[in-house]
PDB file of all heavy atoms in Angstrom:
ATOM      1  N   LEU D   1      -0.923  29.632 -50.218  1.00 48.00           N
ATOM      2  CA  LEU D   1      -1.057  28.662 -49.131  1.00 48.00           C
ATOM      3  C   LEU D   1       0.223  28.578 -48.321  1.00 48.00           C
ATOM      4  O   LEU D   1       0.213  28.533 -47.092  1.00 48.00           O
ATOM      5  CB  LEU D   1      -1.400  27.289 -49.720  1.00 48.00           C
ATOM      6  CG  LEU D   1      -1.380  26.095 -48.743  1.00 48.00           C
ATOM      7  CD1 LEU D   1      -2.486  26.273 -47.712  1.00 48.00           C
ATOM      8  CD2 LEU D   1      -1.551  24.782 -49.489  1.00 48.00           C
ATOM      9  N   LEU D   2       1.365  28.557 -49.005  1.00 48.00           N
ATOM     10  CA  LEU D   2       2.638  28.442 -48.302  1.00 48.00           C
ATOM     11  C   LEU D   2       2.874  29.616 -47.369  1.00 48.00           C
ATOM     12  O   LEU D   2       3.509  29.485 -46.329  1.00 48.00           O
ATOM     13  CB  LEU D   2       3.787  28.332 -49.313  1.00 48.00           C
ATOM     14  CG  LEU D   2       3.903  26.998 -50.051  1.00 48.00           C
ATOM     15  CD1 LEU D   2       5.070  27.061 -51.023  1.00 48.00           C
ATOM     16  CD2 LEU D   2       4.067  25.838 -49.083  1.00 48.00           C
ATOM     17  N   THR D   3       2.384  30.771 -47.710  1.00 45.00           N
ATOM     18  CA  THR D   3       2.577  31.930 -46.849  1.00 45.00           C
ATOM     19  C   THR D   3       1.551  31.994 -45.735  1.00 45.00           C
ATOM     20  O   THR D   3       1.748  32.714 -44.763  1.00 45.00           O
ATOM     21  CB  THR D   3       2.499  33.226 -47.670  1.00 45.00           C
ATOM     22  OG1 THR D   3       1.194  33.332 -48.234  1.00 45.00           O
ATOM     23  CG2 THR D   3       3.539  33.221 -48.764  1.00 45.00           C
ATOM     24  N   GLU D   4       0.451  31.229 -45.872  1.00 47.00           N
ATOM     25  CA  GLU D   4      -0.606  31.275 -44.869  1.00 47.00           C
ATOM     26  C   GLU D   4      -0.532  30.133 -43.864  1.00 47.00           C
ATOM     27  O   GLU D   4      -1.145  30.186 -42.816  1.00 47.00           O
ATOM     28  CB  GLU D   4      -1.987  31.234 -45.555  1.00 47.00           C
ATOM     29  CG  GLU D   4      -2.290  32.453 -46.403  1.00 47.00           C
ATOM     30  CD  GLU D   4      -2.423  33.699 -45.558  1.00 47.00           C
ATOM     31  OE1 GLU D   4      -2.796  33.570 -44.386  1.00 47.00           O
ATOM     32  OE2 GLU D   4      -2.136  34.791 -46.059  1.00 47.00           O
ATOM     33  N   VAL D   5       0.200  29.060 -44.199  1.00 45.00           N
ATOM     34  CA  VAL D   5       0.285  27.931 -43.270  1.00 45.00           C
ATOM     35  C   VAL D   5       1.012  28.388 -42.015  1.00 45.00           C
ATOM     36  O   VAL D   5       2.144  28.832 -42.087  1.00 45.00           O
ATOM     37  CB  VAL D   5       1.051  26.753 -43.897  1.00 45.00           C
ATOM     38  CG1 VAL D   5       1.287  25.669 -42.856  1.00 45.00           C
ATOM     39  CG2 VAL D   5       0.269  26.196 -45.054  1.00 45.00           C
ATOM     40  N   PRO D   6       0.407  28.271 -40.848  1.00 44.00           N
ATOM     41  CA  PRO D   6       1.069  28.711 -39.619  1.00 44.00           C
ATOM     42  C   PRO D   6       2.309  27.884 -39.332  1.00 44.00           C
ATOM     43  O   PRO D   6       2.343  26.690 -39.607  1.00 44.00           O
ATOM     44  CB  PRO D   6      -0.009  28.496 -38.535  1.00 44.00           C
ATOM     45  CG  PRO D   6      -1.300  28.422 -39.270  1.00 44.00           C
ATOM     46  CD  PRO D   6      -0.977  27.832 -40.605  1.00 44.00           C
ATOM     47  N   ALA D   7       3.293  28.513 -38.740  1.00 41.00           N
ATOM     48  CA  ALA D   7       4.514  27.795 -38.393  1.00 41.00           C
ATOM     49  C   ALA D   7       4.263  26.745 -37.328  1.00 41.00           C
ATOM     50  O   ALA D   7       5.040  25.816 -37.178  1.00 41.00           O
ATOM     51  CB  ALA D   7       5.563  28.791 -37.894  1.00 41.00           C
ATOM     52  N   ARG D   8       3.161  26.878 -36.605  1.00 43.00           N
ATOM     53  CA  ARG D   8       2.886  25.919 -35.535  1.00 43.00           C
ATOM     54  C   ARG D   8       2.168  24.685 -36.054  1.00 43.00           C
ATOM     55  O   ARG D   8       1.662  23.887 -35.280  1.00 43.00           O
ATOM     56  CB  ARG D   8       2.054  26.563 -34.439  1.00 43.00           C
ATOM     57  CG  ARG D   8       0.693  27.086 -34.882  1.00 43.00           C
ATOM     58  CD  ARG D   8      -0.026  27.721 -33.704  1.00 43.00           C
ATOM     59  NE  ARG D   8      -1.341  28.214 -34.066  1.00 43.00           N
ATOM     60  CZ  ARG D   8      -1.584  29.387 -34.590  1.00 43.00           C
ATOM     61  NH1 ARG D   8      -0.582  30.210 -34.808  1.00 43.00           N
ATOM     62  NH2 ARG D   8      -2.805  29.772 -34.881  1.00 43.00           N
ATOM     63  N   LEU D   9       2.085  24.521 -37.377  1.00 45.00           N
ATOM     64  CA  LEU D   9       1.388  23.376 -37.950  1.00 45.00           C
ATOM     65  C   LEU D   9       1.932  22.068 -37.389  1.00 45.00           C
ATOM     66  O   LEU D   9       1.177  21.165 -37.043  1.00 45.00           O
ATOM     67  CB  LEU D   9       1.543  23.395 -39.471  1.00 45.00           C
ATOM     68  CG  LEU D   9       1.043  22.148 -40.228  1.00 45.00           C
ATOM     69  CD1 LEU D   9      -0.466  22.064 -40.099  1.00 45.00           C
ATOM     70  CD2 LEU D   9       1.473  22.186 -41.673  1.00 45.00           C
ATOM     71  N   VAL D  10       3.261  21.949 -37.293  1.00 44.00           N
ATOM     72  CA  VAL D  10       3.867  20.702 -36.860  1.00 44.00           C
ATOM     73  C   VAL D  10       3.578  20.415 -35.401  1.00 44.00           C
ATOM     74  O   VAL D  10       3.363  19.282 -35.015  1.00 44.00           O
ATOM     75  CB  VAL D  10       5.396  20.757 -37.100  1.00 44.00           C
ATOM     76  CG1 VAL D  10       6.078  19.582 -36.434  1.00 44.00           C
ATOM     77  CG2 VAL D  10       5.676  20.762 -38.587  1.00 44.00           C
ATOM     78  N   ALA D  11       3.538  21.453 -34.578  1.00 42.00           N
ATOM     79  CA  ALA D  11       3.561  21.220 -33.139  1.00 42.00           C
ATOM     80  C   ALA D  11       2.239  21.379 -32.425  1.00 42.00           C
ATOM     81  O   ALA D  11       2.165  21.102 -31.244  1.00 42.00           O
ATOM     82  CB  ALA D  11       4.583  22.173 -32.495  1.00 42.00           C
ATOM     83  N   LEU D  12       1.188  21.813 -33.100  1.00 45.00           N
ATOM     84  CA  LEU D  12      -0.101  21.969 -32.426  1.00 45.00           C
ATOM     85  C   LEU D  12      -1.097  20.955 -32.968  1.00 45.00           C
ATOM     86  O   LEU D  12      -1.803  21.219 -33.930  1.00 45.00           O
ATOM     87  CB  LEU D  12      -0.649  23.390 -32.630  1.00 45.00           C
ATOM     88  CG  LEU D  12       0.014  24.479 -31.796  1.00 45.00           C
ATOM     89  CD1 LEU D  12      -0.708  25.793 -32.007  1.00 45.00           C
ATOM     90  CD2 LEU D  12       0.022  24.136 -30.323  1.00 45.00           C
ATOM     91  N   PRO D  13      -1.160  19.764 -32.376  1.00 46.00           N
ATOM     92  CA  PRO D  13      -1.995  18.708 -32.929  1.00 46.00           C
ATOM     93  C   PRO D  13      -3.476  19.005 -32.883  1.00 46.00           C
ATOM     94  O   PRO D  13      -4.249  18.435 -33.626  1.00 46.00           O
ATOM     95  CB  PRO D  13      -1.655  17.515 -32.028  1.00 46.00           C
ATOM     96  CG  PRO D  13      -1.136  18.102 -30.777  1.00 46.00           C
ATOM     97  CD  PRO D  13      -0.425  19.356 -31.186  1.00 46.00           C
ATOM     98  N   ALA D  14      -3.918  19.909 -32.026  1.00 46.00           N
ATOM     99  CA  ALA D  14      -5.353  20.138 -31.867  1.00 46.00           C
ATOM    100  C   ALA D  14      -5.945  20.984 -32.984  1.00 46.00           C
ATOM    101  O   ALA D  14      -7.151  21.069 -33.117  1.00 46.00           O
ATOM    102  CB  ALA D  14      -5.630  20.809 -30.522  1.00 46.00           C
ATOM    103  N   GLN D  15      -5.110  21.638 -33.820  1.00 47.00           N
ATOM    104  CA  GLN D  15      -5.627  22.598 -34.780  1.00 47.00           C
ATOM    105  C   GLN D  15      -5.480  22.169 -36.233  1.00 47.00           C
ATOM    106  O   GLN D  15      -5.922  22.874 -37.121  1.00 47.00           O
ATOM    107  CB  GLN D  15      -4.928  23.957 -34.606  1.00 47.00           C
ATOM    108  CG  GLN D  15      -5.192  24.581 -33.253  1.00 47.00           C
ATOM    109  CD  GLN D  15      -4.586  25.972 -33.176  1.00 47.00           C
ATOM    110  OE1 GLN D  15      -4.075  26.484 -34.141  1.00 47.00           O
ATOM    111  NE2 GLN D  15      -4.657  26.556 -32.004  1.00 47.00           N
ATOM    112  N   GLY D  16      -4.851  21.020 -36.483  1.00 46.00           N
ATOM    113  CA  GLY D  16      -4.588  20.635 -37.866  1.00 46.00           C
ATOM    114  C   GLY D  16      -5.846  20.457 -38.673  1.00 46.00           C
ATOM    115  O   GLY D  16      -5.973  20.946 -39.789  1.00 46.00           O
ATOM    116  N   GLY D  17      -6.846  19.721 -38.124  1.00 49.00           N
ATOM    117  CA  GLY D  17      -8.085  19.517 -38.849  1.00 49.00           C
ATOM    118  C   GLY D  17      -8.803  20.816 -39.119  1.00 49.00           C
ATOM    119  O   GLY D  17      -9.376  21.023 -40.191  1.00 49.00           O
ATOM    120  N   GLN D  18      -8.775  21.739 -38.164  1.00 50.00           N
ATOM    121  CA  GLN D  18      -9.408  23.038 -38.346  1.00 50.00           C
ATOM    122  C   GLN D  18      -8.721  23.819 -39.461  1.00 50.00           C
ATOM    123  O   GLN D  18      -9.364  24.512 -40.246  1.00 50.00           O
ATOM    124  CB  GLN D  18      -9.361  23.831 -37.050  1.00 50.00           C
ATOM    125  CG  GLN D  18     -10.110  23.151 -35.894  1.00 50.00           C
ATOM    126  CD  GLN D  18      -9.925  23.907 -34.607  1.00 50.00           C
ATOM    127  OE1 GLN D  18      -9.367  24.988 -34.568  1.00 50.00           O
ATOM    128  NE2 GLN D  18     -10.415  23.323 -33.521  1.00 50.00           N
ATOM    129  N   LEU D  19      -7.389  23.705 -39.548  1.00 48.00           N
ATOM    130  CA  LEU D  19      -6.660  24.427 -40.581  1.00 48.00           C
ATOM    131  C   LEU D  19      -7.051  23.920 -41.967  1.00 48.00           C
ATOM    132  O   LEU D  19      -7.279  24.692 -42.889  1.00 48.00           O
ATOM    133  CB  LEU D  19      -5.154  24.259 -40.372  1.00 48.00           C
ATOM    134  CG  LEU D  19      -4.558  24.990 -39.168  1.00 48.00           C
ATOM    135  CD1 LEU D  19      -3.103  24.621 -39.017  1.00 48.00           C
ATOM    136  CD2 LEU D  19      -4.708  26.490 -39.325  1.00 48.00           C
ATOM    137  N   VAL D  20      -7.131  22.592 -42.102  1.00 46.00           N
ATOM    138  CA  VAL D  20      -7.496  22.028 -43.400  1.00 46.00           C
ATOM    139  C   VAL D  20      -8.888  22.484 -43.792  1.00 46.00           C
ATOM    140  O   VAL D  20      -9.137  22.881 -44.932  1.00 46.00           O
ATOM    141  CB  VAL D  20      -7.427  20.487 -43.349  1.00 46.00           C
ATOM    142  CG1 VAL D  20      -7.975  19.899 -44.645  1.00 46.00           C
ATOM    143  CG2 VAL D  20      -5.998  20.029 -43.129  1.00 46.00           C
ATOM    144  N   HIS D  21      -9.827  22.448 -42.847  1.00 46.00           N
ATOM    145  CA  HIS D  21     -11.189  22.883 -43.140  1.00 46.00           C
ATOM    146  C   HIS D  21     -11.223  24.366 -43.487  1.00 46.00           C
ATOM    147  O   HIS D  21     -11.898  24.794 -44.418  1.00 46.00           O
ATOM    148  CB  HIS D  21     -12.082  22.608 -41.934  1.00 46.00           C
ATOM    149  CG  HIS D  21     -13.492  23.112 -42.125  1.00 46.00           C
ATOM    150  ND1 HIS D  21     -14.394  22.493 -42.966  1.00 46.00           N
ATOM    151  CD2 HIS D  21     -14.131  24.187 -41.591  1.00 46.00           C
ATOM    152  CE1 HIS D  21     -15.543  23.149 -42.941  1.00 46.00           C
ATOM    153  NE2 HIS D  21     -15.416  24.180 -42.119  1.00 46.00           N
ATOM    154  N   GLN D  22     -10.458  25.164 -42.749  1.00 45.00           N
ATOM    155  CA  GLN D  22     -10.453  26.608 -42.969  1.00 45.00           C
ATOM    156  C   GLN D  22      -9.891  26.953 -44.343  1.00 45.00           C
ATOM    157  O   GLN D  22     -10.428  27.782 -45.068  1.00 45.00           O
ATOM    158  CB  GLN D  22      -9.620  27.285 -41.891  1.00 45.00           C
ATOM    159  CG  GLN D  22      -9.466  28.789 -42.101  1.00 45.00           C
ATOM    160  CD  GLN D  22      -8.522  29.396 -41.086  1.00 45.00           C
ATOM    161  OE1 GLN D  22      -7.971  28.693 -40.252  1.00 45.00           O
ATOM    162  NE2 GLN D  22      -8.332  30.680 -41.176  1.00 45.00           N
ATOM    163  N   PHE D  23      -8.791  26.290 -44.724  1.00 42.00           N
ATOM    164  CA  PHE D  23      -8.125  26.639 -45.964  1.00 42.00           C
ATOM    165  C   PHE D  23      -8.845  26.098 -47.202  1.00 42.00           C
ATOM    166  O   PHE D  23      -8.434  26.356 -48.319  1.00 42.00           O
ATOM    167  CB  PHE D  23      -6.680  26.119 -45.954  1.00 42.00           C
ATOM    168  CG  PHE D  23      -5.797  26.902 -45.036  1.00 42.00           C
ATOM    169  CD1 PHE D  23      -4.797  26.268 -44.312  1.00 42.00           C
ATOM    170  CD2 PHE D  23      -5.965  28.261 -44.880  1.00 42.00           C
ATOM    171  CE1 PHE D  23      -3.989  26.985 -43.458  1.00 42.00           C
ATOM    172  CE2 PHE D  23      -5.151  28.978 -44.031  1.00 42.00           C
ATOM    173  CZ  PHE D  23      -4.174  28.332 -43.323  1.00 42.00           C
ATOM    174  N   ARG D  24      -9.928  25.336 -47.005  1.00 43.00           N
ATOM    175  CA  ARG D  24     -10.711  24.906 -48.151  1.00 43.00           C
ATOM    176  C   ARG D  24     -11.540  26.057 -48.728  1.00 43.00           C
ATOM    177  O   ARG D  24     -12.038  25.966 -49.848  1.00 43.00           O
ATOM    178  CB  ARG D  24     -11.624  23.736 -47.763  1.00 43.00           C
ATOM    179  CG  ARG D  24     -10.876  22.446 -47.534  1.00 43.00           C
ATOM    180  CD  ARG D  24     -11.826  21.272 -47.330  1.00 43.00           C
ATOM    181  NE  ARG D  24     -11.100  20.071 -46.982  1.00 43.00           N
ATOM    182  CZ  ARG D  24     -10.509  19.270 -47.865  1.00 43.00           C
ATOM    183  NH1 ARG D  24     -10.563  19.569 -49.148  1.00 43.00           N
ATOM    184  NH2 ARG D  24      -9.873  18.197 -47.472  1.00 43.00           N
ATOM    185  N   GLU D  25     -11.703  27.120 -47.937  1.00 43.00           N
ATOM    186  CA  GLU D  25     -12.455  28.267 -48.419  1.00 43.00           C
ATOM    187  C   GLU D  25     -11.514  29.220 -49.139  1.00 43.00           C
ATOM    188  O   GLU D  25     -10.529  29.683 -48.565  1.00 43.00           O
ATOM    189  CB  GLU D  25     -13.126  28.983 -47.250  1.00 43.00           C
ATOM    190  CG  GLU D  25     -14.176  28.148 -46.544  1.00 43.00           C
ATOM    191  CD  GLU D  25     -15.358  27.844 -47.446  1.00 43.00           C
ATOM    192  OE1 GLU D  25     -15.630  28.676 -48.347  1.00 43.00           O
ATOM    193  OE2 GLU D  25     -15.988  26.790 -47.279  1.00 43.00           O
ATOM    194  N   PRO D  26     -11.765  29.543 -50.407  1.00 38.00           N
ATOM    195  CA  PRO D  26     -10.855  30.420 -51.162  1.00 38.00           C
ATOM    196  C   PRO D  26     -10.618  31.758 -50.495  1.00 38.00           C
ATOM    197  O   PRO D  26      -9.530  32.306 -50.567  1.00 38.00           O
ATOM    198  CB  PRO D  26     -11.576  30.579 -52.511  1.00 38.00           C
ATOM    199  CG  PRO D  26     -12.436  29.358 -52.616  1.00 38.00           C
ATOM    200  CD  PRO D  26     -12.868  29.057 -51.205  1.00 38.00           C
ATOM    201  N   ARG D  27     -11.638  32.303 -49.837  1.00 40.00           N
ATOM    202  CA  ARG D  27     -11.477  33.624 -49.217  1.00 40.00           C
ATOM    203  C   ARG D  27     -10.400  33.603 -48.145  1.00 40.00           C
ATOM    204  O   ARG D  27      -9.802  34.623 -47.844  1.00 40.00           O
ATOM    205  CB  ARG D  27     -12.809  34.092 -48.624  1.00 40.00           C
ATOM    206  CG  ARG D  27     -13.883  34.398 -49.650  1.00 40.00           C
ATOM    207  CD  ARG D  27     -15.126  34.938 -48.972  1.00 40.00           C
ATOM    208  NE  ARG D  27     -16.172  35.245 -49.936  1.00 40.00           N
ATOM    209  CZ  ARG D  27     -17.048  34.361 -50.371  1.00 40.00           C
ATOM    210  NH1 ARG D  27     -16.987  33.111 -49.933  1.00 40.00           N
ATOM    211  NH2 ARG D  27     -17.977  34.704 -51.246  1.00 40.00           N
ATOM    212  N   ASN D  28     -10.160  32.447 -47.533  1.00 39.00           N
ATOM    213  CA  ASN D  28      -9.163  32.358 -46.499  1.00 39.00           C
ATOM    214  C   ASN D  28      -7.740  32.436 -47.058  1.00 39.00           C
ATOM    215  O   ASN D  28      -6.782  32.510 -46.317  1.00 39.00           O
ATOM    216  CB  ASN D  28      -9.339  31.061 -45.702  1.00 39.00           C
ATOM    217  CG  ASN D  28     -10.580  31.085 -44.847  1.00 39.00           C
ATOM    218  OD1 ASN D  28     -10.950  32.123 -44.334  1.00 39.00           O
ATOM    219  ND2 ASN D  28     -11.252  29.946 -44.717  1.00 39.00           N
ATOM    220  N   PHE D  29      -7.611  32.339 -48.399  1.00 35.00           N
ATOM    221  CA  PHE D  29      -6.324  32.526 -49.012  1.00 35.00           C
ATOM    222  C   PHE D  29      -6.117  33.951 -49.464  1.00 35.00           C
ATOM    223  O   PHE D  29      -5.105  34.275 -50.086  1.00 35.00           O
ATOM    224  CB  PHE D  29      -6.159  31.602 -50.225  1.00 35.00           C
ATOM    225  CG  PHE D  29      -6.048  30.159 -49.878  1.00 35.00           C
ATOM    226  CD1 PHE D  29      -7.135  29.316 -49.981  1.00 35.00           C
ATOM    227  CD2 PHE D  29      -4.857  29.651 -49.414  1.00 35.00           C
ATOM    228  CE1 PHE D  29      -7.030  27.990 -49.654  1.00 35.00           C
ATOM    229  CE2 PHE D  29      -4.753  28.320 -49.069  1.00 35.00           C
ATOM    230  CZ  PHE D  29      -5.831  27.486 -49.180  1.00 35.00           C
ATOM    231  N   GLY D  30      -7.099  34.814 -49.248  1.00 37.00           N
ATOM    232  CA  GLY D  30      -7.031  36.144 -49.786  1.00 37.00           C
ATOM    233  C   GLY D  30      -7.402  36.164 -51.248  1.00 37.00           C
ATOM    234  O   GLY D  30      -7.091  37.112 -51.970  1.00 37.00           O
ATOM    235  N   LEU D  31      -8.104  35.103 -51.724  1.00 35.00           N
ATOM    236  CA  LEU D  31      -8.518  35.010 -53.119  1.00 35.00           C
ATOM    237  C   LEU D  31     -10.025  35.230 -53.224  1.00 35.00           C
ATOM    238  O   LEU D  31     -10.762  34.864 -52.318  1.00 35.00           O
ATOM    239  CB  LEU D  31      -8.173  33.646 -53.712  1.00 35.00           C
ATOM    240  CG  LEU D  31      -6.685  33.243 -53.670  1.00 35.00           C
ATOM    241  CD1 LEU D  31      -6.532  31.839 -54.188  1.00 35.00           C
ATOM    242  CD2 LEU D  31      -5.857  34.208 -54.502  1.00 35.00           C
ATOM    243  N   GLN D  32     -10.468  35.760 -54.282  1.00 36.00           N
ATOM    244  CA  GLN D  32     -11.890  35.911 -54.538  1.00 36.00           C
ATOM    245  C   GLN D  32     -12.370  34.695 -55.338  1.00 36.00           C
ATOM    246  O   GLN D  32     -11.603  34.090 -56.095  1.00 36.00           O
ATOM    247  CB  GLN D  32     -12.162  37.201 -55.325  1.00 36.00           C
ATOM    248  CG  GLN D  32     -11.761  38.451 -54.566  1.00 36.00           C
ATOM    249  CD  GLN D  32     -12.529  38.613 -53.268  1.00 36.00           C
ATOM    250  OE1 GLN D  32     -13.699  38.259 -53.189  1.00 36.00           O
ATOM    251  NE2 GLN D  32     -11.867  39.114 -52.244  1.00 36.00           N
ATOM    252  N   PRO D  33     -13.624  34.309 -55.153  1.00 36.00           N
ATOM    253  CA  PRO D  33     -14.137  33.142 -55.884  1.00 36.00           C
ATOM    254  C   PRO D  33     -13.926  33.227 -57.378  1.00 36.00           C
ATOM    255  O   PRO D  33     -13.667  32.222 -58.039  1.00 36.00           O
ATOM    256  CB  PRO D  33     -15.628  33.145 -55.527  1.00 36.00           C
ATOM    257  CG  PRO D  33     -15.714  33.848 -54.205  1.00 36.00           C
ATOM    258  CD  PRO D  33     -14.637  34.894 -54.267  1.00 36.00           C
TER     259      PRO D  33
END
């Protein structure tokens, strides 16, 4: 997760909720179920 969190997390308010939703899927971490 630490390597996948975009550096723009702090400064792009429009995408934070999308990031949280996206990272709830294990495949988005490069992990298999």
